[in-house]
Amino acid sequence: MSGFSAAASAAAAERCALAIRARPAASSPATRQQASLRRSAGPRRSSTFAASRRGPVAPRAVATPADRASPDLVGKFTLDSNSQLQVAVNPASQGSVTEIDLEVTNTTGSLILHWGALCRDRRDWLLPSRRPDGTAVYKNRALRTPFLKSGDNSTLRIEIDDPAVQAIEFLIFDETQNKWFKNNGQNFQIQLQSSRHHGSGASGASSSATSVLVPEDLVQIQAYLRWERKGKQSYTPEQEKEEYEAARAELIEELNRGVSLEKLRAKLTKAREAPESLESDSPASQITVDKIPEDLVQVQAYIRWEKAGKPNYPPEKQLVEFEEARKELQAEVDKGMLIDQLRKKILKGNIESKVSKQLKNKKYFSVERIQRKKRDIMQILSKHKHTVIEEQVEVAPKQLTVLDLFTKSLQKKDGCEVLSKKLFKFGGKQILAISTKVLNKSKVYLATNHMEPLILHWSLAKKAGEWKAPPSNILPSGSKLLDMACETEFTKSELDGLHYQVVEIELDDGGYKGMPFVLRSGETWIKNNGSDFYLDFSTRDTRNIKDTGDAGKGTAKALLEKIADLEEDAQRSLMHRFNIAADLVDQARDAGLLGIVGIFVWIRFMATRQLTWNKNYNVKPREISKAQDRFTDDLENMYKAYPQYREILRMIMAAVGRGGEGDVGQRIRDEILVIQRNNDCKGGMMEEWHQKLHNNTSPDDVVICQALIEYIKSDFDISVYWDTLNKNGITKERLLSYDRAIHSEPNFRSEQKEGLLHDLGNYMRSLKAVHSGADLESAIATCMGYKSEGEGFMVGVQINPVKGLPSGFPELLEFVLDHVEDKSTEPLLEGLLEARVEIRPLLLDSPERMKDLIFLDIALDSTFRTVIERSYEELNNAAPEKIMYFISLVLENLALSIDDNEDILYCLKGWNQALEMAKQKDDQWALFAKAFLDRIRLALASKGEQYHNMMQPSAEYLGSLLSVDQWAVNIFTEEIIRGGSAATLSALLNRFDPVLRNVAHLGSWQVISPVEVSGYVVVVDELLAVQNKSYDKLTILVAKSVKGEEEIPDGVIGVITPDMPDVLSHVSVRARNSKVLFATCFDHSTLSELEGYHQKLLSFKPTSSDITYREITESELQQSSSPNAEAGHAVPSISLVNKKFLGKYAISAEEFSEEMVGAKSRNIAYLNGKVPSWVGVPTSVAIPFGTFEKVLSDGLNKEVAQNIEKLKNRLAQEDFSALGEIRKAVLNLAAPTQLVNELKEKMLGSGMPWPGDEGDQRWEQAWMAIKKVWASKWNERAYFSTRKVKLDHDYLSMAVLVQEIVSADYAFVIHTTNPSSGDSSEIYAEVVKGLGETLVGAYPGRAMSFICKKDDLDSPKLLGYPSKPIGLFIRRSIIFRSDSNGEDLEGYAGAGLYDSVPMDEEDEVVLDYTTDPLIVDHGFRNSILSSIARAGHAIEELYGSPQDVEGVVKDGKIYVVQTRPQM
């Protein structure tokens, strides 16, 4: 069925329309008057109820008698889930009273009607003289009348006898719930028009009806037009009825806006030829309707599109938008606006040029994009590393005050624990409040250096703000108990000749939260900056680090203590603070990175409102901005001279704001007066704010201004004002805390709306120009230059453009500003990044106005992060390629914001390559992208750790000195990270990781050691921290960090981690050998769920690629018969054979034997000549067993031997700190001449270079490397490992295998039986770029991994691309490898416990995998991996058993450096 049926038309014709007029809570008087005049312009008789703007209520028929009608129910409204408001009006006949009856159903409390009357000639409420009983006048602006309770309902009747009253407006207040009821956020309004306004005398319902009928023929036309607009679709009968009623409602809305019925008919008949039933001589045929010019329709459509956030519209939606725009303009014309007036109204700013640009490009409703320049991303490379060097400046010991001595005297008491402590300052003196616990007794001490007679007026509190008199049994001697407090005299005392006064109070166990107090000296009361002093008992004091030996460790301690000494002066005003900061810049610079960090921490505490901004000091805005300008000038100069500090300096500048000389700050003072004068708002909140601005402007004023703007935009919803303030950290208490407090709420009139929005918007520019370091508009304006005259804002201000800006840069910034609110964020993000890249060369140089460019870059960065967070919704259902592109953009933005971005840039290059692979449908794209996603995560974790190490010690020490809230100190670094691009990037990666794992078929787990286990879950931060612990019950660790070199603790049968140690790392091998479950969990939700099982019993069942788990009972655990149940406690039965020195200091490979060297040396000698010719084996010699002991016993080393013997005795007493001291002692050994001669002879005889031939220094390097190998016998991991299996550590003997290093392109480790699956037909191998130390050592990231079937060695299968960010490379050199008699014992995996040390230090290189042929060249990769697999297979065949093989690749050739049986 199509179109509309006659039946539906007939049904619709039975209904009459109720006239509705939507009206905001406080429209302007002019609007009211015009609306009233329009309503009275025709013969309309209506009783109307003003509903919300959301739309009309359903029309219904209404009729009344001619003389006095019975009350008409004009509306029902739901107040809450159980309560409804019903309003009935009994209209007045000539000279009588109009009655309005209100009834609220199901009420529980007492209700108040807050109301007033509306008259044509008044802008505010009239307060009628005829009022119900109990009515009170509220502030001469409204009436408040109580409802009467009637059963479950509340009722009220209002009588209006004033003929001038056209309507009443009201709100309802529930006193019991302290809750206001509104009509969809607006005032309720009841229209009172009656026959007395329109004449009367005709009888019958038709003449006195309270509603106007909408002619049914017009409803039919409107319904038809709606049907046409919707594409003439088929409707069901129910839909037809809905369409008719919707059409009727649209026409009623037009009439309510004041459009006459004649104009409405003319409009409809012009839009559509009238049906035949319309007469040609009707009034419509004689009405001319103004035609809307097409150019205005296009402009209005553009404005609608901008307001919607510039979404991408399909063609059909574009047509709808044009028609909607036309309708909006026609409605304005119908209300009486002339076309010229309409044109003037909407053609503001550069809107015409924007529209013409779209029309010219034929890109209707589509967002333009900038064309990003093609450039090498490495052009933005920066390699300024943050090196933390502890302060070396000699600082004279700080003179201890009497209060410092008093604190120390308490801490020296046996068992005394300081629980909380706070130092207060008053009038140049100090009072120290300390709560302690000694032998379960709680005490409070108050000590002061104020030596005049002093009274402590104090109480105790169980909740904030409470004053509660203490119990009489705890009062100090001589105290006087009052109603709510107690008074105690201070007692004079002395320490080291210094005098002080003290009060000591012993508390009972009363559950007190704190102690409020004030002081009295004679008749003078002493308070804490106008408030009570308060010592909080509930927060344990972790800020006593100042009193410990580690106080200030890792900080610029002298600088921080100087800041603390100057803080009281800094609190006077922001002018004082910024001038003090400027004075400290030189000292901070001299202290190095930690000095700059110290200034940042201080300024950050200020910016986050942890420090007082103003105290009893009035300062002009221009004085604040001048001080800011001075401080930021100093920061600018340091930015130019010290590129390694730029990242931190940007953070400081962003927190401080721009400032400015002369009238920049003065504008804040002057322009608020302009706002008040222009908008007639000189009292109340605006006057209070004006006083604050004149005396103490601060960054809070930016927030207050924004809150006012949002409040006005919301049609004066006061909750919006408070929400905006609270979201930005400003509470009512903070407003009241200003020296010039803000007590009042804003209260504006509707006619002030447009003017205030205009003026406050301008004023915001001035506020941000001074206070905001990250405001985009003001930063762009400052760099581009501007000149403003008139209107009282920025009068006479002229700022010239920055010179030397790139070509096209102004247009780029204009694009950014034009699109900053777009809903489609991708073009804007590209524009922001392009702008940052364009100005980067200037930021690396020293331009004349560097500071303005820095603030522009800060603003671009800040806006980018805001826009990215706004785009999350856009990415919810986006294709993988789009999410990858957004990650690429965020990576680039991060690279532009940090001083050392090499790793991030290589991540970006790899990620862009993965994106191209995805676009080309490469079947490896997800696996490739996963490796780079993991590498990006490592980079972010490394950055977070760097920030923590760099900033947190300063935050903790300065926080302790300044008594900053402990929660703010604890989260200091976390908040810095959360506010930067790294947090945004991390969030995007977390979203995308499951997508990659799904496409690459990786699952949520990598099972490294597949063992079925049951035990208690224990959550730990680091496996390293518990590796020496022994668990007394079967334990499965969920460890947040696993590096790869740790031991598995005793009692542990499983380890689950989000970290990604290599499958062949030490801890992985150890887990497999010990039959311990070991797996990486990639899914954050699964990991969180497992952490929630802390201390609960779980059973884990792994496969090669997945793990299932379930909670079990204690009885199920006991019944478990799994063979691994005792794995965590098993101790293998093994022993060491004591090795003796056999007379030789050095031997060649031909002399290697079990008595002389370990398995590592013997295996490498065995391979020589037996492996295929294409496999190289490096030449080797060895320093045999017993040599270390022989050297130690030499007379040359008598003192070293004695020292080591003493240290070994301490170790026997379980003083494990001796381990490190033994290692240091070993390094003091001198080399016997015979050792040097024999080693030289063997090395030269084997064709190896002798280090001494290059000079004595080279031999000393070699000798030090040998001693480091011997010393590794006492490294913690090896010592505890042998101790765990009860090996006699004294019997552990260390030979040293000496080999020439092959300067490797790649290094590899092979297990000739797949260790994860146990498949003996399959080889598993891992490969890294550079030396193998990054593979076997605890270097972050994963190696490239692959498997290869032994019956198809030409077809290796890649399992994962590498994510290790670092490669190690070395020149031609010698390596000295550990070769102990404890490394390859059966049943004990000792390999990797001891150190191999190269003679020269390796160079760490940040790796770029996008240029590595092993990654990008499939043929090369297949050849190398196949060769590695063949070498492993050949060695396994040679030994006849599975092998663990290490080797390197150099120029395509395979070298094997060692092999051992696979454990």
Side-chain angles (χ1 to χ4, degrees), residues 828-846:
L828 174 60
L829 292 169
E830 292 172 339
L832 290 163
L833 272 182
E834 187 67 14
R836 293 197 71 192
V837 175
E838 284 282 272
I839 61 169
R840 186 171 177 84
L842 292 174
L843 292 171
L844 299 178
D845 199 359
S846 296

Side-chain angles (χ1 to χ4, degrees), residues 1271-1342:
S1272 70
K1273 173 180 174 178
W1274 285 276
N1275 73 52
E1276 282 79 3
R1277 186 160 59 93
Y1279 179 79
F1280 287 113
S1281 180
T1282 55
R1283 178 184 165 95
K1284 185 186 297 184
V1285 294
K1286 296 183 169 44
L1287 286 174
D1288 188 335
H1289 193 258
D1290 284 339
Y1291 277 23
L1292 189 107
S1293 193
M1294 186 75 71
V1296 180
L1297 175 62
V1298 184
Q1299 293 178 318
E1300 188 172 2
I1301 290 179
V1302 179
S1303 183
D1305 299 322
Y1306 307 101
F1308 59 82
V1309 173
I1310 307 168
H1311 278 200
T1312 59
T1313 291
N1314 189 329
S1316 296
S1317 64
D1319 187 349
S1320 60
S1321 70
E1322 197 170 71
I1323 289 171
Y1324 176 88
E1326 293 181 341
V1327 185
V1328 294
K1329 194 169 174 65
L1331 299 177
E1333 182 58 24
T1334 61
L1335 180 55
V1336 297
Y1339 281 77
R1342 299 291 286 272

Side-chain angles (χ1 to χ4, degrees), residues 458 460 470-477 479 504-508 512:
W458 62 284
L460 296 170
S472 58
N473 64 321
I474 71 167
L475 302 184
S477 176
S479 295
E504 178 180 340
I505 303 166
E506 185 172 321
L507 302 178
D508 61 359
Y512 306 114

Side-chain angles (χ1 to χ4, degrees), residues 10 186 343-344 348 380 407 595 698 938 976 1157 1304 1343 1402 1463:
Q186 310 297 323
R343 183 179 297 278
K344 186 176 180 181
K348 292 180 180 177
I380 65 172
T407 303
S698 70
L938 287 172
I976 299 298
V1157 294
E1402 307 98 329
M1463 302 293 288

Side-chain angles (χ1 to χ4, degrees), residues 1236-1256:
V1236 177
N1237 293 336
E1238 287 189 24
L1239 183 57
K1240 177 179 180 179
E1241 179 189 344
K1242 294 297 181 183
M1243 289 180 69
L1244 291 174
S1246 301
M1248 297 171 67
W1250 169 244
D1253 289 344
E1254 299 177 56
D1256 292 342

Side-chain angles (χ1 to χ4, degrees), residues 420-560:
S420 56
K421 180 181 69 172
K422 192 149 189 176
L423 182 69
F424 303 95
K425 298 180 181 181
F426 63 94
K429 300 296 182 181
Q430 297 175 321
I431 183 165
L432 178 68
I434 300 182
S435 70
T436 67
K437 180 168 279 191
V438 183
L439 302 176
N440 292 322
K441 289 185 179 180
S442 297
K443 287 189 178 184
V444 174
Y445 296 88
L446 292 108
T448 179
N449 56 3
H450 179 90
M451 294 311 298
E452 298 295 322
L454 198 61
I455 301 291
L456 176 69
H457 183 90
W458 62 284
S459 76
L460 296 170
K462 292 188 176 180
K463 59 184 179 182
E466 181 181 55
W467 274 74
K468 186 179 179 65
S472 58
N473 64 321
I474 71 167
L475 302 184
S477 176
S479 295
K480 180 181 177 183
L481 192 62
L482 307 176
D483 285 344
M484 298 173 61
C486 176
E487 290 198 338
T488 305
E489 279 194 53
F490 278 80
T491 304
K492 289 183 169 54
S493 192
E494 178 184 340
L495 270 172
D496 291 355
L498 299 174
H499 296 276
Y500 67 101
Q501 296 195 87
V502 66
V503 170
E504 178 180 340
I505 303 166
E506 185 172 321
L507 302 178
D508 61 359
D509 189 16
Y512 306 114
K513 298 296 183 185
M515 176 177 166
F517 63 94
V518 293
L519 306 172
R520 183 161 55 84
S521 179
E523 297 302 316
T524 303
W525 289 95
I526 300 171
K527 305 187 84 176
N528 181 27
N529 296 323
S531 302
D532 299 338
F533 297 98
Y534 186 76
L535 177 63
D536 188 350
F537 300 157
S538 60
T539 304
R540 288 293 177 262
D541 184 46
T542 58
R543 298 172 294 181
N544 290 320
I545 56 173
K546 186 180 179 182
D547 304 317
T548 71
D550 288 336
K553 187 176 181 181
T555 74
K557 185 176 180 181
L559 174 67
L560 298 187

Side-chain angles (χ1 to χ4, degrees), residues 802-823:
V802 172
K803 295 177 182 177
L805 293 173
S807 173
F809 194 63
E811 292 76 14
L812 179 57
L813 293 183
E814 183 183 348
F815 172 88
V816 166
L817 283 179
D818 284 347
H819 295 82
V820 79
E821 299 296 334
D822 287 4
K823 186 174 287 186

